[in-house]
Amino acid sequence: MTKEEYNNICDKVMPKESHLKRYVISFFIGGLMGFVAELLTNIFINYFYLSYNDSISLMLIIVIFITSILTGLGVFDNLVEICGAGLFIPITGFAHSTTSSALEYRKEGFIFGIGSNIFKLSGSVILYAVVSSFFFGLIRYLLLEI
Amino acid sequence: MTLKYNNSYINEVSTVAGPYVIYGPFKYDETFTDYYDNEETFEKCEIKNYIKCINILLGKCNKSENDIDLIISSDLLNQLMISNFMMNHFNIPFFGVYNACASFCEELILASTLIDSKKMNNIITATSSNNLTAERQYRNPVEYGYQKKKYQTFTVTGSASCLISNKKSNIKITTATIGKVVDFDVKDSLNMGKVMAPSAYETFITHLKELNLKPEYYDLILTGDLGKYGKTIFNELFYKNFGYYLSNYEDSACMIYDNNDKRVLAGGSGIACINLVTNSYVIPQMISKKYKRVLLIATGALMSVTSVNQKMSIPSISHAVSLEVI
Amino acid sequence: MSYIYSFIFAGVVCLIAEIILNNTNLKPGHIICLFVIFGSMLDTFKIYDFFQDNFGAGTSIVITSFGHLIMHGAFLGVKQSGFIGFLNGFFNYTTVGISATIVFAFITSILFKAKN
């Protein structure tokens, strides 16, 4: 039996996942996150008289705080299982993966446990944000600033 | 490679089952409901319950540590960590073996060979797995959430052990086939059924050919942990070559959990899966003479974190052992 | 009105991510990185600024804004001290996300235990 024949058999057997339901859920949950962000920001601007940038920062801090606590309580992983991209594309995904790594490696000590592994999953986000910004920034600097 | 044995018997078995498994259809000697079970870490909990399992076995067969010639043990963690620490508590010679989830049959084969060669009399084979320790080693941190696929399997939490001896009992180990590594270039580490089905089939066919048997010779053919879809693949492979479907074929992954539980996805996996089903279902059924001849095919996916991260394929292996009532 | 724009923007970004996730072999980690790169790419020609001005805070909560903010920090640095400020300013704006995450993750890991 060749690889192709085997793959054909498997393709017939493997279950079809319902994509549409996932698309609807992640659009709706993602949208909800955007809505909440806008709501919080507006509250901070209108009732606490903060500047736009400060309100955004405070909003991010609150969202990250809630995500971390829910991850610690063991609720957030079940939510991500259902909502998918709706929860890992907003900043919640970054906070969730960082917190789950920290919780995981807590037993291995503060320095070589949490310290070494806290960015195990989310470190790549920072890496590629910096590297891509460096190259795209160079392009922009050369094209637009000079 | 098929071996025949004349005087190797399964004398006594013991099981300890953890969360999710306890909601399944079978009865176990001891259960625990919490992944910590009053210990600090998941690993310590697994070690504690593994020790409990061996102690239950020793108690059941009324033997002291001095009567046991050897323990052959296996688990899923790196460097067989759980087995090593379990053996800290026993004053018994120890072999650690690893063939991923195929270790159960590997242990039976090794034990039977040692007993059949009259070098040893009493050997304990033991396996243990734990959902969270395995999950964290092979995949993601415990609290990390991601959308699961329907074909994913859910590692079994529990441990099981058997006493293999030359003293006559109802259940005799008659033949065994040692499998070869099969690799169909599957790279998806979540799709264990697809990885392991061909090796289970390969070993099954080799077993039939070398002993000149028909599949109907066995009352039950039980594969290790292929899961719902792996079971279908196995059936399809058989159909492709023989033109009909096996009626006496079951997969332990589909039996161990409560079938209505959506959280376990395609079924169980892990080293203790087939061992728990064998000890808590097959052997009692054999003693009550419902099954006379049973073929166990334990399947294992030989992956490591490094090989998966380096995008290498996942080889698989299966060993078969046949049990008979006498 | 800005609520609806925020809703739609964040929803569409998540929808695109979900579509990529379901039709390729990429994992969530890959997609997050892809979107961060995408964010800084969009900022090269100030497209993301346009989004941010029109669609409200929905643009700030998705991970694409991470790349965008680093670019912004870099060019704030450029404004202050020329080309040397370019690398110096990378974390001008993003520090709030990163430091809040680190602090809360650390505190959570001390207060809680991994469950299952």
Side-chain angles (χ1 to χ4, degrees):
Chain A
M1 189 168 51
T2 62
K3 248 185 260 171
E4 283 74 29
E5 282 174 340
Y6 182 59
N7 280 333
N8 284 338
I9 294 176
C10 291
D11 288 341
K12 257 185 261 163
V13 170
M14 282 303 151
K16 301 281 174 292
E17 316 263 348
S18 73
H19 289 182
L20 190 68
K21 196 177 142 202
R22 287 185 167 186
Y23 295 159
V24 172
I25 290 176
S26 51
F27 175 74
F28 188 75
I29 298 293
L32 204 67
M33 294 303 299
F35 177 80
V36 169
E38 180 72 13
L39 187 73
L40 285 175
T41 315
N42 279 348
I43 288 173
F44 296 140
I45 292 175
N46 294 332
Y47 296 100
F48 294 87
Y49 310 110
L50 296 177
S51 71
Y52 182 76
N53 278 346
D54 287 350
S55 329
I56 292 276
S57 300
L58 195 55
M59 179 269 291
L60 289 178
I61 291 170
I62 287 175
V63 171
I64 289 168
F65 176 73
I66 293 172
T67 310
S68 290
I69 295 293
L70 287 182
T71 306
L73 289 171
V75 180
F76 208 81
D77 55 335
N78 300 332
L79 292 178
V80 177
E81 229 171 85
I82 300 163
C83 306
L87 282 181
F88 73 72
I89 288 298
I91 195 86
T92 47
F94 182 72
H96 173 57
S97 48
T98 313
T99 312
S100 61
S101 307
L103 275 170
E104 186 73 40
Y105 291 98
R106 160 90 173 74
K107 295 275 149 37
E108 291 170 22
F110 284 96
I111 307 300
F112 294 106
I114 303 183
S116 311
N117 293 300
I118 193 165
F119 286 121
K120 202 167 189 198
L121 292 167
S122 52
S124 54
V125 177
I126 300 174
L127 168 70
Y128 286 106
V130 170
V131 171
S132 65
S133 293
F134 178 75
F135 287 108
F136 287 121
L138 269 186
I139 293 169
R140 179 165 146 183
Y141 188 79
L142 295 175
L143 286 179
L144 303 177
E145 308 286 319
I146 298 172
Chain B
M1 177 77 200
T2 299
L3 307 164
K4 285 184 185 168
Y5 301 115
N6 293 321
N7 59 345
S8 137
Y9 304 89
I10 297 181
N11 281 17
E12 198 56 76
V13 294
S14 74
T15 49
V16 173
Y20 293 91
V21 180
I22 52 177
Y23 306 120
F26 308 129
K27 290 267 171 298
Y28 304 99
D29 295 333
E30 185 90 31
T31 55
F32 59 104
T33 48
D34 181 58
Y35 278 115
Y36 280 107
D37 203 20
N38 300 327
E39 292 290 326
E40 275 167 56
T41 61
F42 303 130
E43 283 80 4
K44 280 183 184 163
C45 167
E46 190 179 349
I47 294 165
K48 175 181 156 186
N49 284 294
Y50 205 9
I51 293 166
K52 213 188 263 173
C53 181
I54 305 284
N55 278 329
I56 291 171
L57 184 74
L58 290 173
K60 264 187 172 180
C61 55
N62 247 330
K63 286 199 162 32
S64 72
E65 291 179 17
N66 295 332
D67 302 329
I68 308 296
D69 299 315
L70 177 70
I71 288 189
I72 308 178
S73 163
S74 179
D75 62 83
L76 286 176
L77 296 201
N78 283 344
Q79 286 85 36
L80 300 178
M81 167 188 162
I82 303 295
S83 301
N84 300 341
F85 280 88
M86 182 271 285
M87 286 313 296
N88 249 348
H89 290 252
F90 294 101
N91 195 17
I92 305 173
F94 163 58
F95 268 169
V97 295
Y98 183 79
N99 252 188
C101 311
S103 303
F104 171 52
C105 281
E106 185 190 10
E107 286 171 3
L108 288 184
I109 294 169
L110 285 174
S112 307
T113 310
L114 286 169
I115 286 170
D116 212 51
S117 65
K118 302 207 169 64
K119 297 256 185 326
M120 288 182 186
N121 297 327
N122 296 305
I123 299 177
I124 289 178
T125 66
T127 58
S128 172
S129 66
N130 182 302
N131 184 287
L132 295 185
T133 58
E135 199 70 18
R136 95 174 244 186
Q137 182 186 310
Y138 287 99
R139 298 189 182 113
N140 290 315
V142 170
E143 286 295 343
Y144 181 71
Y146 57 99
Q147 282 169 311
K148 303 224 162 106
K149 298 271 199 294
K150 276 184 191 156
Y151 53 69
Q152 255 177 279
T153 46
F154 191 87
T155 310
V156 163
T157 309
S159 38
S161 59
C162 311
L163 178 75
I164 318 290
S165 161
N166 57 1
K167 203 182 104 199
K168 259 195 176 172
S169 77
N170 282 332
I171 293 150
K172 186 183 179 190
I173 298 173
T174 48
T175 56
T177 302
I178 304 173
K180 292 171 190 159
V181 170
V182 173
D183 192 344
F184 272 92
D185 204 26
V186 184
K187 289 186 177 138
D188 188 352
S189 69
L190 299 175
N191 199 346
M192 290 289 103
K194 188 177 175 185
V195 173
M196 298 188 295
S199 84
Y201 181 72
E202 197 89 20
T203 306
F204 178 49
I205 294 301
T206 316
H207 182 82
L208 295 182
K209 221 181 258 169
E210 295 194 341
L211 291 172
N212 235 333
L213 296 172
K214 289 227 159 68
E216 288 72 27
Y217 177 78
Y218 291 105
D219 300 321
L220 176 71
I221 295 155
L222 186 76
T223 51
D225 45 4
L226 300 180
K228 265 183 221 164
Y229 304 101
K231 185 183 172 187
T232 324
I233 295 174
F234 185 91
N235 269 329
E236 290 294 328
L237 290 174
F238 186 84
Y239 181 79
K240 207 170 154 245
N241 292 329
F242 287 79
Y244 66 99
Y245 289 108
L246 278 171
S247 58
N248 53 350
Y249 166 59
E250 274 297 338
D251 185 57
S252 49
C254 306
M255 301 163 79
I256 194 156
Y257 289 120
D258 179 7
N259 276 340
N260 299 319
D261 196 344
K262 288 249 160 50
R263 293 171 300 182
V264 299
L265 306 156
S269 68
I271 229 160
C273 182
I274 186 170
N275 204 348
L276 283 173
V277 173
T278 307
N279 289 4
S280 60
Y281 171 72
V282 176
I283 287 179
Q285 292 286 347
M286 288 180 83
I287 290 171
S288 66
K289 303 273 162 75
K290 196 189 161 205
Y291 295 134
K292 290 213 167 64
R293 303 187 193 97
V294 174
L295 182 69
L296 306 172
I297 309 171
T299 55
L302 303 173
M303 65 169 182
S304 86
V305 186
T306 318
S307 75
V308 171
N309 285 349
Q310 293 180 353
K311 311 259 173 353
M312 286 159 79
S313 65
I314 304 170
S316 65
I317 192 162
S318 302
H319 303 300
V321 169
S322 76
L323 307 178
E324 253 172 63
V325 178
I326 50 162
Chain C
M1 210 48 203
S2 65
Y3 292 110
I4 296 171
Y5 285 142
S6 270
F7 184 93
I8 291 175
F9 183 85
V12 166
V13 173
C14 294
L15 178 65
I16 295 169
E18 187 69 38
I19 291 172
I20 298 174
L21 183 72
N22 279 318
N23 293 301
T24 57
N25 286 328
L26 299 180
K27 299 211 168 86
H30 294 126
I31 294 169
I32 294 175
C33 292
L34 207 71
F35 272 54
V36 168
I37 295 171
F38 202 59
S40 61
M41 195 173 80
L42 283 179
D43 207 47
T44 314
F45 303 103
K46 300 190 178 172
I47 301 169
Y48 208 85
D49 286 340
F50 169 78
F51 289 153
Q52 199 162 36
D53 293 341
N54 291 295
F55 300 144
T59 53
S60 296
I61 200 164
V62 289
I63 202 81
T64 32
S65 77
F66 215 80
H68 152 82
L69 281 176
I70 286 190
M71 283 285 267
H72 259 238
F75 281 91
L76 183 76
V78 169
K79 211 177 268 172
Q80 284 165 350
S81 48
F83 190 72
I84 298 164
F86 178 61
L87 276 172
N88 211 351
F90 265 23
F91 289 108
N92 267 341
Y93 293 112
T94 37
T95 35
V96 68
I98 296 175
S99 36
T101 305
I102 293 175
V103 170
F104 293 138
F106 185 75
I107 293 171
T108 319
S109 71
I110 290 170
L111 293 180
F112 295 96
K113 256 175 158 185
K115 288 186 186 65
N116 77 40

